[in-house]
Amino acid sequence: MIFFVALRKELLEQWRSHRLLVTAVILVTFGLTSPLLARFTPEILGLLPGAEQFSALIPPPTVADAVGQYLKNLSQFAVLLALLMTMGSVVQEKDKGTAALMLVKPLPRWAFLGAKFVALGVTFLTATLLAAVAGYYYTLVLFEPLDLWPWLALNGLFLLFVLVYLALTLLCSTVTRSQVAAGGLAFGLLILLSLMGSIPRLGDWLPGRLLSWGGELALGGSTPAWGALGVSLGLIVAALVGAWAIFRRQEL
Amino acid sequence: MAAIRIEGISKRFGSVQALDRLTLAVEPGTVFGFLGPNGAGKTTTIRILTGLARPDAGRAWVAGVEVGDGKGLARRIGCLPEEPACYPWMTPREFLDYIGRVFDLSAAERAARTRELLELVGLTEVERRRIGTFSRGMRQRMGLAQALVNRPEVLFLDEPASALDPAGRREVLELIGRLRGQCTVFMSTHILADVERVCDSVGIINRGRLVTEARQEELLARYAVPAFEVEVENGAAAELAAWVETLRRQPWVAAVAVDGSRARVTVNDVVHARQELLSAAAQSALPVVRYEVVRPSLEEVFLRLVGEEGER
């Protein structure tokens, strides 16, 4: 099937361009260091001259700190990576002429776009899985074992959160004429969603809530955020369908 | 049935009328030269015919399929853009294999076609080198190879040789010439010598309008100037001048222009001139080194037609 032909090319590109490697290294690094930072921050502070009194004020680190650090660090860097890696994915091919070269062939535009999204998704899935293993192991060593399924659920929700930004940035890359414009527009959307997420009640419906839900799940208690889950899935679908609807009308 | 039929296509970009009711037809199996100055509308025509752009008005058919209805046109055509951009991180072998997959060729077909095309365009020795390291000429040949993977019925070439050095240009034009009869080639260019060398038919476009369309010989014959050129040995300029004076009195001579040891004789009656001119030269004991019927070049025809169009 033609989609898998396009996907094979995109996956090969992820590999050859070292995007998969870079994403994996960054996420694994934060997966490893987050429990470490949570565990040793009070001790590090205590070693700093003049900061001993602050060290005494910090409560002893718990597994909740490790999970919190993991989510905070990973989400910040993963979203930035998602923007950087996706902003040029369509606009660059249009600009360089590879899109025109390929799309006069029997390669439908939906497959062209869809393969890009899935390949980026696979890259982040792989990197998230590796980061999850690293984070789980160090949390186990430094704190206590986490329940496996909730931990996987946390990482699944984190991945869904990243996929929202991947899809939105892909849409931006489709509608704009330059990589910088695509990146700027995507960053604007990121800021907008973050600001909206801080509004009480409204935030419960936005992708950012997936992270806190994941954190709660991993620590044993949870208030499900099905609304945020539905909105996130809806945003992904809307962004992809929107990108396709615009791209199929674009002249190359 | 024409391999390419265009009926009244128009396309506007803002205030620029890129194509203005363009109508033309290209016979199957021929090499068609689409000639025009820069900005005449050649690339826009190709973009419309390959489905990359939509016309504001008019219709077109390629290989019997109406452009824009999305039913199998892509499988029947090949296209080489002006600046072919292949994925720089792929090798030629990988890229042709990928194109073969897009056309749903079997593994054996892909392997054979890749080998065949790399040999055809002379890239076998660099088949494992990344395309990103290729020179402009090599990328052009790579572009041509990718356009031929599916053995297209109609091949669109946008300025295929304009960026190449003389040797590369000759190779590409020879390659295009070899495709005659196998597929219909629609080649846009502003290089007249390329069209003269390889094309069967010519369409001249200027400011989005088709100025003329004909087989190359017909076009040259249509705009042929009834003239002869006589060249004498160096140092025989005085004899030539005397002969020209006698010639000017002949009723079948319209004008004579002398340039050093050459005289260009424009005549009213070609048949009569053929009979009389050489014998007149012989009678005057003129030391003739060259005598020929002047054949207009495509360049002269092009400049005349485009010039006339510009004056309107």
Side-chain angles (χ1 to χ4, degrees):
Chain A
M1 191 188 159
I2 191 69
F3 174 77
F4 292 105
V5 172
L7 180 60
R8 182 182 176 276
K9 174 253 157 190
E10 292 297 334
L11 289 172
L12 193 62
E13 188 169 5
Q14 293 290 313
W15 178 255
R16 291 269 176 89
S17 62
H18 307 301
R19 283 179 203 165
L20 176 62
L21 183 70
V22 169
T23 311
V25 166
I26 290 176
L27 295 199
V28 168
T29 302
F30 284 105
L32 284 173
T33 55
S34 295
L36 269 173
L37 277 172
R39 171 71 182 79
F40 294 111
T41 297
E43 288 174 30
I44 293 167
L45 272 176
L47 293 171
L48 292 175
E52 297 85 356
Q53 65 272 35
F54 296 114
S55 165
L57 292 173
I58 299 174
T62 64
V63 72
D65 297 314
V67 171
Q69 281 277 3
Y70 177 86
L71 273 174
K72 195 180 80 181
N73 293 337
L74 242 67
S75 61
Q76 281 173 357
F77 283 90
V79 166
L80 279 178
L81 271 177
L83 255 66
L84 290 172
M85 284 171 49
T86 317
M87 67 187 197
S89 58
V90 180
V91 74
Q92 211 171 21
E93 288 222 28
K94 286 194 287 186
D95 187 44
K96 288 190 175 169
T98 42
L101 190 92
M102 290 313 302
L103 294 169
V104 296
K105 303 187 187 324
L107 177 65
R109 295 191 184 202
W110 67 262
F112 182 85
L113 280 181
K116 284 186 183 299
F117 178 74
V118 173
L120 284 160
V122 168
T123 294
F124 277 90
L125 169 69
T126 311
T128 303
L129 280 174
L130 293 172
V133 171
Y136 186 86
Y137 178 71
Y138 264 53
T139 309
L140 170 75
V141 170
L142 299 170
F143 295 96
E144 59 189 82
L146 289 159
D147 287 339
L148 187 61
W149 291 112
W151 178 249
L152 285 178
L154 173 152
N155 283 284
L157 290 169
F158 159 74
L159 183 64
L160 185 63
F161 171 78
V162 175
L163 289 180
V164 171
Y165 289 100
L166 277 182
L168 289 174
T169 312
L170 193 75
L171 171 67
C172 296
S173 187
T174 306
V175 298
T176 52
R177 286 171 185 270
S178 79
Q179 213 178 149
V180 175
L185 188 60
F187 195 71
L189 285 175
L190 167 67
I191 300 287
L192 181 72
L193 278 176
S194 304
L195 288 175
M196 287 167 69
S198 61
I199 299 172
R201 280 192 296 201
L202 180 62
D204 289 341
W205 294 83
L206 295 178
R209 176 71 180 89
L210 296 177
L211 298 177
S212 50
W213 183 20
E216 290 161 12
L217 271 173
L219 296 170
S222 93
T223 315
W226 299 111
L229 184 74
V231 168
S232 299
L233 288 171
L235 277 173
I236 292 171
V237 172
L240 293 179
V241 171
W244 169 72
I246 292 163
F247 193 47
R248 67 192 284 261
R249 302 289 306 162
Q250 274 178 351
E251 296 190 350
L252 299 171
Chain B
M1 189 180 67
I4 300 171
R5 188 152 65 92
I6 303 175
E7 286 183 3
I9 276 189
S10 295
K11 179 77 179 174
R12 177 177 277 277
F13 296 107
S15 61
V16 179
Q17 187 72 48
L19 293 177
D20 188 4
R21 287 161 291 164
L22 182 73
T23 296
L24 68 81
V26 179
E27 286 174 39
T30 58
V31 180
F32 181 84
F34 198 43
L35 198 56
N38 289 332
K42 305 184 295 290
T43 300
T44 303
T45 306
I46 289 184
R47 286 175 59 232
I48 288 174
L49 292 177
T50 52
L52 291 174
R54 284 179 301 279
D56 299 332
R59 298 167 76 186
W61 292 260
V62 175
V65 179
E66 182 160 10
V67 175
D69 76 355
K71 287 178 191 161
L73 176 65
R75 292 197 173 274
R76 302 175 138 201
I77 62 169
C79 180
L80 170 69
E82 187 173 354
E83 287 181 23
C86 308
Y87 294 110
W89 49 271
M90 282 187 178
T91 66
R93 181 193 274 259
E94 285 171 338
F95 189 64
L96 294 180
D97 181 74
Y98 172 51
I99 304 293
R101 285 174 194 269
V102 169
F103 280 105
D104 207 17
L105 303 184
S106 69
E109 281 174 316
R110 290 199 309 271
R113 194 71 182 135
T114 297
R115 219 173 18 247
E116 189 185 334
L117 287 170
L118 287 175
E119 207 172 300
L120 184 76
V121 299
L123 291 175
T124 308
E125 283 179 16
V126 290
E127 65 178 18
R128 291 181 195 280
R129 219 170 97 183
R130 291 204 175 175
I131 295 170
T133 65
F134 280 11
S135 69
R136 176 79 170 86
M138 289 161 91
R139 286 206 301 272
Q140 195 77 7
R141 284 187 274 157
M142 188 65 228
L144 194 56
Q146 64 79 29
L148 292 169
V149 168
N150 58 323
R151 300 180 199 277
E153 287 173 52
V154 179
L155 178 64
F156 292 96
L157 307 172
D158 193 1
E159 304 274 4
S162 60
L164 301 178
D165 60 26
R169 211 158 106 195
R170 198 177 68 182
E171 279 175 28
V172 167
L173 291 175
E174 280 175 6
L175 219 149
I176 294 168
R178 287 206 294 274
L179 294 171
R180 181 177 287 110
Q182 294 176 39
C183 69
T184 307
V185 180
F186 185 95
M187 172 177 129
S188 89
T189 182
H190 64 273
I191 303 173
L192 294 135
D194 292 354
V195 175
E196 213 155 9
R197 196 187 290 182
V198 77
C199 295
D200 305 306
S201 311
V202 182
I204 296 179
I205 184 174
N206 192 32
R207 295 179 184 175
R209 284 190 195 159
L210 189 72
V211 180
T212 192
E213 178 200 356
R215 292 192 73 80
Q216 195 178 152
E217 314 86 70
E218 264 174 54
L219 194 67
L220 295 176
R222 196 188 300 166
Y223 292 93
V225 183
F228 295 80
E229 226 169 63
V230 177
E231 189 175 346
V232 295
E233 284 175 1
N234 281 336
E239 290 99 317
L240 181 68
W243 179 67
V244 163
E245 281 313 309
T246 61
L247 213 55
R248 283 189 173 128
R249 290 195 287 274
Q250 302 300 321
W252 45 271
V253 175
V256 187
V258 180
D259 175 18
S261 59
R262 264 182 319 173
R264 187 182 174 109
V265 185
T266 309
V267 300
N268 303 317
D269 180 348
V270 179
V271 178
H272 206 100
R274 274 183 203 277
Q275 291 165 356
E276 299 287 329
L277 198 62
L278 258 187
S279 60
Q283 275 170 19
S284 304
L286 207 62
V288 176
V289 292
R290 189 171 61 89
Y291 164 83
E292 70 176 37
V293 178
V294 176
R295 187 177 175 272
S297 70
L298 192 57
E299 186 170 345
E300 284 169 326
V301 174
F302 174 76
L303 291 173
R304 188 172 147 191
L305 288 171
V306 169
E308 281 171 6
E309 182 74 8
E311 282 163 16
R312 276 182 211 157

